[in-house]
């Protein structure tokens, strides 16, 4: 793409430059970044950032039915999106940095600097590194260098080497131009957490509150430092000296033993350990934990990621991860891709006079974040049935197109498969030409198999239809989506509404679906329990994978060993 097109996108970002760079909420964003070094905030921001870095950017457009059509590799939109930040590695870092900014201050800026040769450098800078210079012009601090971003002049030709700036922010529902984030909403709680942590730290360091004082009855005499007489009362100096030693050297004896004082014998009853603790000591620790819990609850990911998983098993962890991706990662990815679509991709396509430029979008694929053992196994089984492509199988099992076999490797694998099929003794051949008195058993078996397949196809379709109607009444299908589900067959609703494997039982989607299986199994001489298990497993895999049923897949379902043995 030419440098002229790279610089042209600047005109779509300067219209909000002044209000964005000088927003009254800037002070709150400064405070939010001040809490970034707090362990809980840093852990939260880095979790968001690392998860976002696993997504993949691509170009596509939305069809009328709501599905996404990927742009062909040679399409201008695909080439532009592939060039973002120099490719996949740069895009992962770009999304990671935006994840931190959106999590903490709710806002970050992308600055695109065209190179002298080809391409451009993409930088993510914080809102604190951007400044408005009037009339739409901006200044960005990038690696200690001041980069001037000129305002767009619609009457002048764009400078091919002028940097472009794209503001990426999560709008506040109260004031659209202001940013919003969980950290901004928790500033008061985080300030309390900082004060309580300081109090706990002071309590920990204090030898007086931690170890106390031992009173020893042996005349009225305080410890004296060298150069002072016994008459001088230097108790305060002793306290300060011991406290300073304990802080400077926590491993010293002064930090681990109490202070010893000698007092008149008649004033105490034997050796006494005097503690200087207060009720606030324990209260401060409890209040600090309460504030940590409040912040974890305010964050838009499951609190377990900040507070610890505890006794949650791996299935529960997968469910929490899925929820975190849906609630915390995908919305932020849409913020980034929306900004890149409106302020970068579509303007560049318009400059190329593409007639459908407004239809193409920058999108983020989160499937690499969702790879789970059960989903990988499901993808493998469905691939064996011929329902998905090898490309989809690689995506769902965590591989990419770089792992695809070459043409030579495919031919070698096909040769090995063919050799494997032809191994073994040759089968006997009847060479007689007379017409047999009866049909071979295989012909009758073929007819029976076809009738069983037709019956199984009807059972599967009925089960998916009933599951689809139930699915419409579950939380997985919001009211805004139900109008869309009414436009398709009930048996295909699961392809539109995402369902996890454990939710099939939770919502009883297949309850009562196989009541007629015993009758059909008896009719065709098959094992009833085996046929029920095969149909149920297949239907569950389709629902969890979001794949439609076809008659051609039915034969693969009926290849279960127990069914073949019964035949």
């Amino acid at each position: 793409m030419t440098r002229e097109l790279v610089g042209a996108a600047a005109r779509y970002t300067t219209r909000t430059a002044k209000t964005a760079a000088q927003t009254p909420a800037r002070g709150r964003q400064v405070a939010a970044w001040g809490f970034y070094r707090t362990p809980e905030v840093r852990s939260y921001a880095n979790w968001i950032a690392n998860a976002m870095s696993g997504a993949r950017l691509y170009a596509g457009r939305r069809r009328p039915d709501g599905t996404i059509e990927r742009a062909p590799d040679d399409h201008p939109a695909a080439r532009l999106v592939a060039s973002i930040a120099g490719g996949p590695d740069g895009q992962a870092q770009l999304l990671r940095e935006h994840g931190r900014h959106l999590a903490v201050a709710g806002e970050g800026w992308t600055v695109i600097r065209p190179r002298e040769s080809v391409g451009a450098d993409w930088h993510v800078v914080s809102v604190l590194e951007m400044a408005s210079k009037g009339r739409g012009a901006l200044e960005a601090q990038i690696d200690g260098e001041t980069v001037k971003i000129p305002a767009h002049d619609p009457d002048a030709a764009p400078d091919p080497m002028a940097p472009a700036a794209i503001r990426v922010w999560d709008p506040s529902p109260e004031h659209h131009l202001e940013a919003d984030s969980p950290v901004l909403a928790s500033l008061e709680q985080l300030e309390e957490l900082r004060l309580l942590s300081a109090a706990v730290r002071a309590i920990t360091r204090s030898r007086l509150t931690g170890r106390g004082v031992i009173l020893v009855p042996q005349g009225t005499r305080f410890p004296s430092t060298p150069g002072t007489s016994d008459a001088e009362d230097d108790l305060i100096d002793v306290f300060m000296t011991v406290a300073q030693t304990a802080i400077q050297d926590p491993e010293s004896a002064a930090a681990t033993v109490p202070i010893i004082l000698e007092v008149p014998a008649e004033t105490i009853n034997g050796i006494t350990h005097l503690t200087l603790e207060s009720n606030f000591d324990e209260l401060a620790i409890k209040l600090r934990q309460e504030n940590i819990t409040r912040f974890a609850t305010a964050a838009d990911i499951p609190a377990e990621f900040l507070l610890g998983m505890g006794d949650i098993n791996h299935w529960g962890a997968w469910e929490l991860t899925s929820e975190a991706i849906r609630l915390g990662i995908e919305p932020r990815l849409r913020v980034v891709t929306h900004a890149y679509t409106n302020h970068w991709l579509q303007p560049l396509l318009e400059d190329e006079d593409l007639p459908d430029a407004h239809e193409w979008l920058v999108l983020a694929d989160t499937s690499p974040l969702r790879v789970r053992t059960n989903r990988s196994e499901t993808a493998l089984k469905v691939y064996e049935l011929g329902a998905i492509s090898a490309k989809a199988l690689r995506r769902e099992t965590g591989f990419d197109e770089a792992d695809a076999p070459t043409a030579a490797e495919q031919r070698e694998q096909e040769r090995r498969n063919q050799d494997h099929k032809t191994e073994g003794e040759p089968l006997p051949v009847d060479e007689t030409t007379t017409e047999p008195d009866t049909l071979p058993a295989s012909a009758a078996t073929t007819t029976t198999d076809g009738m069983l397949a037709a019956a199984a196809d009807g059972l599967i379709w009925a089960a998916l239809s009933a599951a689809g109607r139930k699915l419409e009444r579950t939380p997985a299908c919001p009211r805004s989506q139900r109008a869309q589900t009414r436009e398709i067959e009930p048996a295909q609703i699961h392809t539109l509404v995402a369902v996890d494997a454990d939710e099939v039982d939770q919502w009883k989607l297949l309850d009562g679906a196989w009541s007629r299986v015993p009758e059909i199994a008896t009719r065709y001489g098959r094992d009833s329990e085996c046929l029920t298990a095969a149909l149920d497993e297949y239907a569950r895999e389709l629902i969890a994978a979001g794949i439609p049923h076809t008659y051609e897949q039915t034969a693969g379902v009926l290849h279960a060993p127990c069914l073949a043995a019964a035949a």
Side-chain angles (χ1 to χ4, degrees), residues 269-350:
N269 184 19
I271 298 177
T272 303
H273 185 200
L274 179 64
T275 60
L276 304 178
E277 296 176 352
S278 68
N279 295 333
F280 180 72
D281 299 349
E282 185 177 353
L283 179 61
I285 296 174
K286 292 182 178 180
L287 289 175
R288 183 176 66 166
Q289 184 58 42
E290 179 184 337
N291 269 268
I292 293 174
T293 303
R294 289 184 67 188
F295 174 72
T297 305
D300 43 15
I301 60 174
E304 288 80 1
F305 287 106
L306 297 179
L307 302 177
M309 291 294 187
D311 297 329
I312 298 176
N313 60 23
H314 63 287
W315 293 105
W318 279 331
E319 180 63 27
L320 288 175
T321 300
S322 177
E323 182 181 355
I325 293 171
R326 187 175 70 253
L327 299 180
I329 304 304
E330 290 181 338
R332 289 185 172 86
L333 287 170
R334 285 193 286 270
V335 169
V336 177
T337 56
H338 177 76
Y340 285 3
T341 295
N342 289 347
H343 304 318
W344 185 74
L345 177 64
Q346 291 181 354
L348 300 188
L349 295 178
E350 289 171 0

Side-chain angles (χ1 to χ4, degrees), residues 372-385 387-388 393 396-397 501 537-547:
R372 305 188 311 189
T373 301
N374 62 333
R375 187 172 178 88
S376 301
E377 293 175 355
T378 299
L380 183 60
K381 292 179 181 179
V382 177
Y383 171 75
E384 292 173 351
L385 296 174
I388 61 175
L393 176 64
E396 294 301 331
T397 50
E537 180 182 6
Y538 171 70
R540 288 173 180 270
E541 290 174 353
L542 289 184
I543 293 173
I547 296 174

Side-chain angles (χ1 to χ4, degrees), residues 4-197:
E4 289 78 1
L5 291 182
V6 173
R11 68 171 183 256
Y12 286 84
T13 61
T14 55
R15 61 186 177 187
T16 60
K18 182 176 180 180
T19 53
Q22 296 180 343
T23 173
R26 175 65 64 90
R28 292 175 57 80
Q29 292 175 317
V30 172
W33 278 115
F35 289 112
Y36 174 70
R37 299 300 176 187
T38 303
E40 291 76 17
V41 175
R42 186 178 185 277
S43 175
Y44 163 67
N46 282 341
W47 195 96
I48 293 290
N50 293 336
M52 286 182 62
S53 70
R56 299 167 182 166
L57 297 180
Y58 68 97
R61 62 180 172 184
R62 198 174 300 278
R63 299 189 182 98
D65 61 358
T67 59
I68 297 297
E69 174 191 355
R70 282 181 177 259
D73 292 341
D74 58 348
H75 192 277
R79 294 199 306 270
L80 275 170
V81 174
S83 72
I84 291 177
D89 292 340
Q91 292 170 12
Q93 184 63 24
L94 194 77
L95 293 175
R96 185 173 188 270
E97 294 179 16
H98 268 305
R100 283 201 190 101
H101 292 286
L102 291 173
V104 176
E107 176 181 353
W109 287 75
T110 299
V111 178
I112 310 171
R113 304 172 67 185
R115 297 184 190 142
E116 290 288 346
S117 53
V118 178
D121 293 321
W122 292 62
H123 306 272
V124 177
V125 297
S126 77
V127 65
L128 309 184
E129 297 173 302
M130 296 294 296
S132 174
K133 294 303 176 182
R135 297 185 179 180
L138 294 171
E139 277 189 1
Q141 297 296 322
I142 300 178
D143 299 331
E145 177 186 354
T146 300
V147 178
K148 295 184 177 181
I149 304 168
H152 171 64
D153 185 355
D155 298 325
D159 180 0
M161 296 305 297
I166 302 174
R167 185 189 181 211
V168 179
W169 84 102
D170 189 2
S172 166
E174 188 176 8
H175 299 100
H176 182 78
L177 284 179
E178 294 182 6
D180 189 23
S181 77
V183 176
L184 288 172
S186 305
L187 290 180
E188 293 182 0
Q189 286 71 34
L190 291 171
E191 180 61 28
E192 291 177 8
L193 179 60
R194 173 181 287 173
L195 294 173
L196 290 168
S197 295

Side-chain angles (χ1 to χ4, degrees), residues 161-460:
M161 296 305 297
I166 302 174
R167 185 189 181 211
V168 179
W169 84 102
D170 189 2
S172 166
E174 188 176 8
H175 299 100
H176 182 78
L177 284 179
E178 294 182 6
D180 189 23
S181 77
V183 176
L184 288 172
S186 305
L187 290 180
E188 293 182 0
Q189 286 71 34
L190 291 171
E191 180 61 28
E192 291 177 8
L193 179 60
R194 173 181 287 173
L195 294 173
L196 290 168
S197 295
V200 172
R201 187 164 55 250
I203 293 169
T204 305
R205 287 181 173 180
S206 173
R207 183 181 173 218
L208 285 176
T209 57
R211 305 301 176 183
V213 177
I214 289 182
L215 303 179
V216 180
Q218 189 181 358
T220 306
R221 183 174 64 84
F222 294 138
S224 300
T225 57
T228 63
S229 67
D230 292 344
E232 295 183 30
D233 185 355
D234 59 349
L235 175 62
I236 301 301
D237 291 339
V238 172
F239 275 20
M240 295 303 296
T241 300
V242 173
Q244 185 178 15
T245 303
I247 291 175
Q248 292 176 348
D249 186 7
E251 296 181 2
S252 68
T256 57
V257 299
I259 299 171
I260 300 175
L261 292 179
E262 294 176 338
V263 300
E266 63 273 13
T267 61
I268 60 173
N269 184 19
I271 298 177
T272 303
H273 185 200
L274 179 64
T275 60
L276 304 178
E277 296 176 352
S278 68
N279 295 333
F280 180 72
D281 299 349
E282 185 177 353
L283 179 61
I285 296 174
K286 292 182 178 180
L287 289 175
R288 183 176 66 166
Q289 184 58 42
E290 179 184 337
N291 269 268
I292 293 174
T293 303
R294 289 184 67 188
F295 174 72
T297 305
D300 43 15
I301 60 174
E304 288 80 1
F305 287 106
L306 297 179
L307 302 177
M309 291 294 187
D311 297 329
I312 298 176
N313 60 23
H314 63 287
W315 293 105
W318 279 331
E319 180 63 27
L320 288 175
T321 300
S322 177
E323 182 181 355
I325 293 171
R326 187 175 70 253
L327 299 180
I329 304 304
E330 290 181 338
R332 289 185 172 86
L333 287 170
R334 285 193 286 270
V335 169
V336 177
T337 56
H338 177 76
Y340 285 3
T341 295
N342 289 347
H343 304 318
W344 185 74
L345 177 64
Q346 291 181 354
L348 300 188
L349 295 178
E350 289 171 0
D351 285 345
E352 284 196 330
D353 297 326
L354 208 66
D356 56 352
H358 64 284
E359 296 181 7
W360 294 101
L361 313 169
V362 180
L363 300 168
D365 179 12
T366 59
S367 60
L369 305 178
R370 298 178 180 275
V371 174
R372 305 188 311 189
T373 301
N374 62 333
R375 187 172 178 88
S376 301
E377 293 175 355
T378 299
L380 183 60
K381 292 179 181 179
V382 177
Y383 171 75
E384 292 173 351
L385 296 174
I388 61 175
S389 66
K391 183 176 181 180
L393 176 64
R394 283 189 288 272
R395 183 185 69 242
E396 294 301 331
T397 50
F399 298 94
D400 55 33
E401 292 311 293
D403 301 310
T406 63
E409 291 171 337
Q410 286 181 325
R411 288 194 296 271
E412 177 63 19
Q413 184 61 42
E414 291 172 357
R415 184 188 66 77
R416 291 178 182 176
N417 293 340
Q418 187 64 32
D419 292 344
H420 180 72
K421 290 180 180 179
T422 56
E423 288 179 357
E425 296 296 328
L427 297 175
V429 179
D430 185 1
E431 298 182 354
T432 60
T433 59
T434 59
E435 184 176 353
D437 296 333
T438 60
L439 289 175
S442 60
T445 301
T446 301
T447 302
T448 302
D449 287 347
M451 297 172 65
L452 176 61
D457 175 65
L459 288 173
I460 295 169

Side-chain angles (χ1 to χ4, degrees), residues 455-469 490-491 509-510 512-514 549:
D457 175 65
L459 288 173
I460 295 169
W461 189 262
L464 293 177
S465 297
R469 285 188 287 269
L509 299 184
L510 293 176
W514 315 117
H549 165 68

Side-chain angles (χ1 to χ4, degrees), residues 462-463 466-467 470 503-515 536 540 543:
K470 293 178 182 178
E503 292 173 340
V504 176
D505 289 327
Q506 178 183 344
W507 293 325
K508 302 179 181 180
L509 299 184
L510 293 176
D511 282 14
W514 315 117
S515 58
D536 187 71
R540 288 173 180 270
I543 293 173

